């Protein structure tokens, strides 16, 4: 997750934080010879780069077993790495994560669960949420 946080931070920085990668999920990164490669850029566009961070958080939370304390810890680790590497002011990602969960729920067999978690995150705030 550190390597992805670094890759994503460098991507955003190279576009002055005005472009989002789009579809920023774990499946769109390849690790080869200790190096991370991003693939599938068809959804890249001008926009809020923190939507990418929200998408990656959703991707982490959805790993099986999904929405566990470990997944939330991994998500927080990713967020902290991203902000420490990028040197941009830390932003509350509650809404980007909730929106991403709702967006990806349309493509998932666990869509209802993802929508429930989006609402829990919105009502509690991302920093206070934990396992079921």
């Amino acid at each position: 997750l550190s390597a992805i946080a670094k890759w994503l931070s460098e991507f955003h920085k190279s576009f002055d934080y005005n472009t989002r990668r789009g579809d920023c999920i774990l499946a769109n990164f390849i690790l080869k010879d200790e190096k991370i490669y991003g693939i599938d850029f068809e959804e890249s566009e001008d926009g809020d780069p923190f939507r990418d961070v929200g998408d990656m958080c959703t991707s982490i939370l959805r790993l099986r077993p999904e929405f566990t304390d470990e997944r939330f810890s991994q998500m927080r680790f990713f967020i902290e790495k991203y902000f420490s590497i990028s040197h941009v002011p830390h932003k509350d990602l509650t809404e980007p994560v909730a929106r991403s969960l709702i967006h990806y729920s349309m493509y998932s067999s666990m869509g209802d669960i993802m929508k429930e978690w989006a609402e829990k995150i919105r009502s509690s705030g991302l920093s206070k949420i934990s396992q079921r």
Side-chain angles (χ1 to χ4, degrees), residues 46-75:
D46 290 344
D48 182 2
F50 298 111
R51 286 180 57 195
D52 286 339
V53 180
D55 286 355
M56 184 55 66
C57 290
T58 290
S59 189
I60 293 165
L61 292 173
R62 290 178 50 197
L63 290 172
R64 291 208 169 120
E66 58 277 340
F67 299 103
T68 62
D69 279 341
E70 170 131 7
R71 296 294 173 242
F72 280 97
S73 292
Q74 291 168 336
M75 177 197 67

Side-chain angles (χ1 to χ4, degrees), residues 17-39:
Y17 296 92
N18 292 314
T19 300
R20 59 183 297 266
R21 184 210 179 288
D23 199 21
C24 194
I25 59 173
L26 290 167
N28 285 335
F29 291 89
I30 296 172
L31 174 64
K32 183 176 183 343
D33 300 327
E34 306 291 320
K35 188 162 171 69
I36 290 287
Y37 297 90
I39 60 170

